[in-house]
Amino acid sequence: MNTCQTLNSLFSPKSIAILGASNTAGKSGAVPIALLLEAGYVGKIYPINPRQDTVYGLPCYASLGDIEEAIDLVIIAVPASHVLAALEKSRPGQIRNAVIFTSGFAEIGDAGLQLQQQLQAFARERHIRLLGPNCLGFINVRNDIYATFSPAPLNGRLPAGDVGMVTQSGAFGAYAYCLARERRLGLSFWISTGNESDLDVADCIQWLVDDPETNVIMAYIEGCKNGDKLKRALAAANQAGKPVVVTKIGRTNSGAQAAASHTAALAGDDAVYDALFKQYGAIRAYTIEEFFNVGQALSKWTHRSGNHNLAIISISGGVGALMADEADELGLNLPTPPDEVKARLLARIPFAGANNPVDVTGHALSDLSILLDTSRDLLATGNYGALAIFLAAAGSSESLWSYLQELVSVLRTEYPHIPLTISALLPPERKNTLQQNGSMVFADPSAAIRTLSKIMHHRPLMISPRTDGQSAVSLPEGVGALNEPIHWQC
C-alpha cells in the first residue's frame, strides 16, 4: 500500500465509529466522542456497544456489521482479547483505517505479540491501515478531529499551526500536548503511534512531509524497526525543506532497555541514529525544553538566511560575555559592528561596550529608545543572521512592558526573517504575548543561544539519487568541512 496516498482518510476521516463507546465520562470509549461533539466534528459518528441504545445522545450500534455505510476510521477501545473478533464483524471493504487504544499486545510479551500478529494479518487481508495498538491516537488540530482518549484536550485546546508532532510514547504525547498548549505552539497534527503494528513514526513523518499545512515536524522516537523507511522519510523531509526536530531516547544502555520494555521498540545503537540524523539534516534535541524551543523557533522563522553571524545586546557586560562564550563554542560568529554604528551608540552612552556583544548597560533602561535604536542599527547593516537581547530582571518591570511590545513589533515588521530572542524574567502570559508577536523569550540566556545555534546552522542538504542506489549528498553553498562522515548509510 502507498502509505502517503492512503492516510488522508485516516487523519481526515469523514466518518468515525467507536468500538467500546461509553456514556461514562473519562473512559477511553467516551473521551473521543465527547471531544468530537464538543469540537463540532462535521462527519458522521457511530458509537458501537451492544449494551447501549444511545451514547452521548447518538444512536448506538451493536456491531460494525450493523452499520450500512463504509467507515473511514474505527476507534477501538475494547479489551485486547476482543479487538479481532469485533473487527471481524465488519464487511470486507467496509473499514479503511483503525486506531487501537487498547494495550495488552506486543508490549506485554509473547502472548500479546501473538494477538498483535493475528490483528496485523487480518488488517492486511482487509486492506485496513492500523495506528497502534497501545497508543493515544491522533488529533487533526486544524479540522477539530479528536481520535484520542487523552484527557489533555478536555482541559484546553491547542491553536492550529504548522508544526506536526509524532511520538511513539502516548504518555509523552499527552505531556507534549500540554506543553504546546502552554507555549501557544500551533500544531497541524498530533499523532501517537504506540506499538506500531502497521504505521510507524517514519510513515507519519513521510505523510506530514506531504501535508501542505505542515512546515515543521517534531518526532519523539524510542526505537526503529525499519531503518530504511526512517531514512527515506528523513530524506523526503530534507528535500521538501521541512526541518525535523528529533528527540531520540535510549542513548545509553539503561535508556535503551527502558525503551525496549516500554513499546517493544528496537532501540539500536545510538551512534547509528546520530549519524542518520546528521546525514539527512534532522535536528537532534537532547532535552524536552530544547525539543520545544527548537521546534517553536523553526515554526516562527521558516525563511532563515543561513547567516551564522549573531548580534548580542545586553544590559550586563558579564552576561553578555557568557552569551558570547556559548555562541563561540557553538560555532556562531560575533562580528564587530561598523564604526558608524559604534559611534552612534557611544554618543548616547559614552561608557557603553560598543563591540559585539554590545553592552548598553543599565542606562538603556532610563532611555528606552536606546534598545530599539541599537537593534535597528545592527540589523540594518545586513551583517547579522539573528539578534539576542538580554534584559535581566528588568524585563519584568511594569514600565518596560509596553516598550518591550513595541520593540518586538517593530523588529518583527522590519526584519521578519531575522530570529529575535529576548532573555528576561516575564510572567507566562507576557512571555506568550511577545512570542506570538515575533520573538522567542527565555529566562536562561544560554538556552536562547543554544536555540539560535540549532536553527541558524540548519540548512537542508541536497540529496540526489546515484546510479548505484545510494544517495549523493550535495552540500549547501558555504558549508565547509564536516565533523561526521556524510556518506554514512543506514
Side-chain angles (χ1 to χ4, degrees), residues 354-375:
N355 294 314
N356 190 11
V358 177
D359 179 10
V360 293
T361 77
H363 184 74
L365 302 178
S366 60
D367 182 358
L368 296 177
S369 65
I370 290 173
L371 274 175
L372 179 56
D373 291 345
T374 304
S375 298

Side-chain angles (χ1 to χ4, degrees), residues 73-92:
L73 173 62
V74 175
I75 295 174
I76 300 176
V78 299
S81 58
H82 298 308
V83 171
L84 182 57
L87 283 175
E88 287 175 335
K89 292 181 180 179
S90 66
R91 299 181 301 278

Side-chain angles (χ1 to χ4, degrees), residues 145-272:
I145 299 172
Y146 290 83
T148 181
F149 69 97
S150 171
L154 294 171
N155 298 320
R157 305 299 174 87
L158 277 169
D162 67 345
V163 178
M165 182 179 294
V166 55
T167 168
Q168 288 178 320
S169 167
F172 174 81
Y175 180 59
Y177 179 98
C178 295
L179 289 178
R181 182 180 61 209
E182 184 179 288
R183 285 171 167 256
R184 306 291 192 270
L185 173 61
L187 300 187
S188 55
F189 289 87
W190 172 94
I191 306 168
S192 162
T193 61
N195 285 10
E196 301 185 341
S197 62
D198 176 17
L199 298 169
D200 60 15
V201 164
D203 291 315
C204 295
I205 291 173
Q206 182 75 61
W207 187 80
L208 289 168
V209 169
D210 291 337
D211 175 47
E213 302 299 325
T214 297
N215 292 319
V216 178
I217 299 168
M218 297 174 64
Y220 180 89
I221 298 177
E222 297 180 341
C224 174
K225 299 175 184 177
N226 189 328
D228 285 337
K229 191 194 291 186
L230 180 59
K231 179 172 66 175
R232 289 193 297 270
L234 294 178
N238 181 71
Q239 289 185 315
K242 296 190 177 184
V244 179
V245 185
V246 178
T247 290
K248 163 66 177 65
I249 66 170
R251 301 196 308 271
T252 66
N253 288 335
S254 297
Q257 290 172 10
S261 65
H262 180 208
T263 57
L266 302 177
D269 186 340
D270 191 69
V272 173

Side-chain angles (χ1 to χ4, degrees), residues 348-435:
R348 300 177 72 173
I349 312 177
F351 45 87
N355 294 314
N356 190 11
V358 177
D359 179 10
V360 293
T361 77
H363 184 74
L365 302 178
S366 60
D367 182 358
L368 296 177
S369 65
I370 290 173
L371 274 175
L372 179 56
D373 291 345
T374 304
S375 298
R376 295 169 99 176
D377 270 357
L378 290 169
L379 296 183
T381 67
N383 196 29
Y384 299 99
L387 172 63
I389 299 174
F390 176 73
L391 297 176
S396 59
S397 167
E398 194 65 36
S399 62
L400 189 63
W401 172 237
S402 60
Y403 181 77
L404 260 182
Q405 293 181 83
E406 179 190 1
L407 180 144
V408 170
S409 177
V410 169
L411 294 181
R412 178 65 165 178
T413 299
E414 296 181 359
Y415 301 97
H417 303 313
I418 298 294
L420 167 67
T421 66
I422 306 286
S423 294
L425 298 177
L426 293 170
E429 65 275 10
R430 290 190 171 180
K431 173 181 175 179
N432 285 330
T433 295
L434 293 185
Q435 294 197 151

